[in-house]
Amino acid sequence: MEITFIIIAAIAGLIIGFLISKTIDSKSATGTLKSAEKEANKLLKEAEKEGESLKKDKILQAKEKFIELKSEHEKVILSRDQKINEAEKRTKDKESQVSNELSKNKKLNAEVEEKLKDYAYRNEYLEKRQEEIDKILQRKINQLEVVSGLSAEDAKAQLMESLKETAKAESMQMIQDTVEEAKLTAQQEAKKIVINTIQRVGTEEAIDNCVSVFNLENDDVKGRIIGREGRNIRAIEAATGVEIIVDDTPEAIILSCFDSIRREVARLSLHKLVTDGRIHPARIEEVVKKTRKSIDEEIIDIGKRTIIDLGIHGLHPELVKMVGRMKYRSSYGQNLLQHSREVAKLCGIMASELGLNPKLAKRAGLLHDIGKVPETETELPHAILGMQLAEKYGEKPEICNAIGAHHDEIEMTSLLSPIIQVCDAISGARPGARRQVLDSYVKRLKDLEEIAFGFGGVKKAYAIQAGRELRVIVESERVSDEKASALSFEISQKIQTDMTYPGQVKITVIRETRAINIAK
């Protein structure tokens, strides 16, 4: 019973506890709800306040934007109004100017009309006076015809016949006297002009040779130029086409070649190599290439200086370059540029003495041997080739004719032509000015090189040792070792067949293969 009572008491306690806890939970929930409602109301009020403040800010920003756009719009309208006002002002100025011009034109038209009326009146008056004069003149003629017994036409014919016979007799006498005087003085005057011209031009005469001497500070440099087993000297000869002669001559090396440009390239290249101190095949090729480029620039500079010294203007750039190349050309041993400058000066003086244009004469004199400069193989005489070059580069017809006719290849059509011919003869006829042997020697060497270039695969060809040896450099890609031997034989046979030469000619064919890469 006690146990039962305890169990019942426990169950009753549990039930009472459960009820009490439920009552407490409901009261706490009610409190939580009330506090949540208060918090919500508070948040709503704060949100309403923030919304009002944001609304006011947006309204203020909108008002400021509106004011800004309004001010910009007003500025645009103001500038447009100003432009319109300026345009209106310009229009009014133009209208006033046009009205002024119209008023001036009206005044001028009125003056012109007045002058036309005055002219018509004067013309009418002159016509009446002319009619009166013609009537008076006719009456006088009629009176003279009555007195003389001849008509006006007969009297005029008799007078003209008499005057004609008198004038013919006097003119024949004058012509005869002039011819006699010209015969007596023409030869004397011509000699005087030629002598005065020669006396006023003095130039140095020097025969161009085929060798140059390169001076050294000491003989030790010769060994460096020759190089190990002669590789340096062979590289120089192959790059320049000039024969290098190293003998017992103290402190000197001889450069032998018929081509003045090649000799100059070799001389300058040697000077640079000796000064720099680095002498080896790769450096030699680099220096020779740079020297050739500098020589080309020097040729143009020489041409420009020459035409400036002679007062010649407007010459085509190609002709200027050809004038510069004349320095490295010779004619019968006479330097071509020096000869052409002398002929130009002689022509200018002679043209002035004869009352002709000295500038045209100088121009024609400078260009008269321009046909000797190009190295192209042609059968045309140098005078005709020079005339064609002058025509190609826009020279005047009288200059072209003077160039083409100075050796009588074509007919002379201007007074400049005989002047050029005479001055060319004067320059070439000076004692020691020319040497025939050298020109034929140079031609033989050029012919040797041209024969080599006539074969396929030939890259370079140089006639050296006064024409006793021909060195031919071929392209290794096109010519094999077997073909090189055959090419040497073919060239020798061609030279035997086509040329006349003293002694023997050695043909050396050089074939070289190179592999080049660059380390970066």
Side-chain angles (χ1 to χ4, degrees):
M1 290 295 287
E2 289 178 2
I3 295 169
T4 306
F5 178 78
I6 291 168
I7 291 168
I8 292 168
I11 292 168
L14 290 171
I15 293 168
I16 293 167
F18 177 74
L19 292 173
I20 291 168
S21 65
K22 282 291 184 180
T23 304
I24 292 168
D25 288 339
S26 64
K27 286 181 179 180
S28 64
T30 304
T32 303
L33 285 172
K34 287 179 180 180
S35 63
E37 287 178 358
K38 288 179 181 180
E39 189 68 27
N41 291 329
K42 186 179 179 181
L43 290 172
L44 284 172
K45 288 179 181 180
E46 289 178 357
E48 286 177 357
K49 287 179 181 180
E50 289 180 359
E52 289 294 330
S53 64
L54 286 172
K55 182 179 180 182
K56 288 178 181 179
D57 291 340
K58 291 297 180 181
I59 291 169
L60 287 172
Q61 289 178 3
K63 286 181 179 180
E64 289 175 357
K65 188 67 175 178
F66 174 74
I67 291 168
E68 184 181 350
L69 291 173
K70 184 179 178 183
S71 63
E72 290 180 358
H73 183 65
E74 287 176 352
K75 287 180 182 178
V76 172
I77 292 171
L78 183 61
S79 64
R80 191 177 297 168
D81 291 340
Q82 287 177 352
K83 290 180 180 178
I84 291 169
N85 292 331
E86 290 175 358
E88 288 178 352
K89 186 179 179 182
R90 287 197 298 270
T91 305
K92 288 179 180 178
D93 292 339
K94 290 289 183 182
E95 288 177 354
S96 62
Q97 187 177 356
V98 169
S99 62
N100 291 333
E101 292 291 334
L102 287 172
S103 61
K104 287 181 182 178
N105 287 334
K106 287 180 181 179
K107 289 180 181 178
L108 289 173
N109 288 333
E111 291 177 359
V112 170
E113 289 178 357
E114 289 293 330
K115 288 182 178 180
L116 286 173
K117 289 179 182 178
D118 184 57
Y119 173 76
Y121 173 75
R122 289 174 180 272
N123 192 28
E124 186 179 355
Y125 175 76
L126 288 174
E127 286 179 356
K128 289 180 181 179
R129 293 293 297 172
Q130 186 65 38
E131 289 178 0
E132 293 177 359
I133 291 169
D134 290 341
K135 290 179 181 178
I136 293 170
L137 181 62
Q138 189 61 41
R139 285 202 300 270
K140 294 294 184 183
I141 291 172
N142 293 333
Q143 290 175 4
L144 286 172
E145 287 178 354
V146 171
V147 172
S148 63
L150 293 172
S151 65
E153 294 297 329
D154 293 339
K156 190 187 294 183
Q158 288 183 7
L159 179 61
M160 288 180 66
E161 190 67 28
S162 175
L163 291 173
K164 190 185 295 183
E165 292 296 330
T166 304
K168 186 183 293 186
E170 291 180 357
S171 63
M172 289 297 294
Q173 184 64 38
M174 189 179 295
I175 291 169
Q176 187 173 359
D177 294 342
T178 305
V179 169
E180 292 296 329
E181 185 179 357
K183 286 180 180 179
L184 293 173
T185 60
Q187 190 172 5
Q188 184 178 357
E189 289 297 321
K191 289 180 180 180
K192 187 188 295 183
I193 290 172
V194 172
I195 292 169
N196 287 337
T197 303
I198 295 172
Q199 287 176 342
R200 287 170 64 181
V201 176
T203 59
E204 298 180 359
E205 293 298 337
I207 298 297
D208 279 0
N209 52 28
C210 289
V211 295
S212 296
V213 178
F214 180 71
N215 296 312
L216 303 171
E217 293 182 359
N218 54 66
D219 287 339
D220 295 338
V221 183
K222 289 184 179 179
R224 293 166 58 197
I225 291 174
I226 294 171
R228 184 181 299 173
E229 298 178 357
R231 65 175 187 172
N232 289 346
I233 198 169
R234 285 199 301 272
I236 295 171
E237 290 179 345
T240 61
V242 174
E243 183 182 6
I244 312 293
I245 301 173
V246 182
D247 53 15
D248 296 333
T249 306
E251 298 179 355
I253 290 176
I254 297 173
L255 310 177
S256 176
C257 182
F258 70 92
D259 192 323
S260 302
I261 295 180
R262 291 186 198 167
R263 287 206 316 274
E264 186 67 9
V265 169
R267 188 184 68 80
L268 293 175
S269 300
L270 273 175
H271 178 73
K272 291 178 182 178
L273 290 167
V274 170
T275 304
D276 184 48
R278 293 176 294 167
I279 307 176
H280 52 83
R283 177 65 178 163
I284 289 167
E285 291 184 2
E286 180 185 352
V287 170
V288 169
K289 186 177 180 181
K290 290 181 179 179
T291 305
R292 279 203 182 97
K293 186 177 180 181
S294 66
I295 287 289
D296 291 339
E297 293 173 355
E298 183 187 357
I299 284 170
I300 296 172
D301 188 53
I302 290 168
K304 289 180 180 178
R305 287 204 306 269
T306 301
I307 63 174
I308 289 171
D309 291 344
L310 294 174
I312 296 171
H313 305 286
L315 205 64
H316 193 278
E318 285 298 323
L319 291 179
V320 174
K321 190 174 180 180
M322 288 183 184
V323 170
R325 291 185 71 86
M326 285 182 181
K327 181 182 177 181
Y328 300 102
R329 292 287 180 270
S330 61
S331 175
Y332 298 102
Q334 187 179 23
N335 183 271
L336 193 58
L337 180 60
Q338 184 178 343
H339 167 64
S340 298
R341 285 174 64 98
E342 182 181 2
V343 171
K345 291 177 181 178
L346 290 169
C347 291
I349 295 169
M350 195 171 288
S352 299
E353 293 289 337
L354 296 172
L356 301 175
N357 189 340
K359 290 186 177 180
L360 285 179
K362 282 185 179 181
R363 197 181 190 99
L366 179 65
L367 300 177
H368 81 284
D369 272 347
I370 203 75
K372 292 182 179 180
V373 176
E375 297 179 352
T376 54
E377 190 69 24
T378 177
E379 295 181 357
L380 290 174
H382 74 273
I384 302 299
L385 183 59
M387 181 184 69
Q388 291 177 355
L389 288 170
E391 290 173 349
K392 178 181 178 181
Y393 295 118
E395 291 299 317
K396 294 183 177 179
E398 54 263 41
I399 293 177
C400 297
N401 179 258
I403 295 170
H406 78 277
H407 285 311
D408 293 322
E409 273 87 4
I410 61 172
E411 184 182 355
M412 297 182 182
T413 59
S414 70
L415 291 174
L416 284 179
S417 302
I419 292 176
I420 305 302
Q421 189 180 51
V422 169
C423 294
D424 180 45
I426 291 171
S427 175
R430 291 176 184 271
R434 292 186 171 184
R435 188 170 67 198
Q436 302 285 344
V437 178
L438 179 63
D439 191 68
S440 60
Y441 163 71
V442 170
K443 186 176 184 303
R444 179 164 58 85
L445 297 186
K446 286 185 177 179
D447 290 343
L448 273 174
E449 293 182 356
E450 290 297 328
I451 286 175
F453 280 118
F455 290 86
V458 175
K459 186 178 179 182
K460 295 178 183 177
Y462 299 119
I464 60 175
Q465 293 188 4
R468 292 190 299 274
E469 181 177 354
L470 178 65
R471 290 193 179 178
V472 182
I473 301 173
V474 298
E475 299 175 6
S476 59
E477 297 85 0
R478 297 178 58 186
V479 180
S480 62
D481 290 338
E482 294 77 10
K483 287 184 178 179
S485 177
L487 180 63
S488 176
F489 176 75
E490 290 173 3
I491 292 174
S492 66
Q493 295 300 311
K494 182 75 171 176
I495 292 172
Q496 288 180 13
T497 305
D498 295 354
M499 290 189 63
T500 303
Y501 51 92
Q504 297 178 343
V505 179
K506 178 183 177 183
I507 294 88
T508 304
V509 176
I510 302 170
R511 178 180 180 270
E512 183 181 33
T513 304
R514 296 189 183 188
I516 300 172
N517 284 293
I518 299 172
K520 298 182 180 178

